Amino acid sequence: KAAEKCFVTQPTLSMQIQKLEDELDIQIFDRSKKPIELTEVGKKIVTQARNIVNESYRIQDIVDQQKGFIGGEFKLGIIPTIMPT
């Protein structure tokens, strides 16, 4: 599932995770359990990675604000008794 979401093959994703583990000299996943689980440091790394990805989306917001663009998601709720009219 993770490989699909990353648009890569499973062996490619596994290889990149292994390279990261080697570079950091830590184990992100505990592969001795089935299914595999994140180690404690792995959980912290994933949390930080999510923060980085979320903050990277702010770059487009900054550019849009600089250009004077006002936009985003707008939701409007209507109660069922008013909806037919």
Side-chain angles (χ1 to χ4, degrees):
K1 289 180 183 180
E4 286 177 18
K5 289 187 179 217
C6 294
F7 304 105
V8 297
T9 63
Q10 189 278 323
T12 300
L13 181 61
S14 293
M15 182 181 66
Q16 292 302 316
I17 292 170
Q18 184 63 50
K19 285 174 83 173
L20 179 60
E21 289 177 329
D22 291 344
E23 184 177 321
L24 298 174
D25 195 28
I26 52 97
Q27 193 173 6
I28 297 172
F29 290 97
D30 180 358
R31 293 172 181 83
S32 66
K33 299 178 182 178
K34 294 290 179 189
I36 64 172
E37 295 179 355
L38 286 166
T39 60
E40 287 305 313
V41 70
K43 290 176 186 176
K44 292 176 183 178
I45 290 170
V46 169
T47 298
Q48 184 61 36
R50 283 187 178 130
N51 291 337
I52 291 167
V53 170
N54 289 336
E55 285 299 313
S56 72
Y57 294 139
R58 289 273 306 127
I59 293 172
Q60 188 62 51
D61 292 341
I62 292 167
V63 171
D64 289 343
Q65 288 175 2
Q66 183 65 32
K67 292 179 177 180
F69 175 74
I70 299 174
E73 190 173 316
F74 178 78
K75 293 183 180 184
L76 177 65
I78 299 175
I79 60 174
T81 55
I82 296 177
M83 198 169 92
T85 58

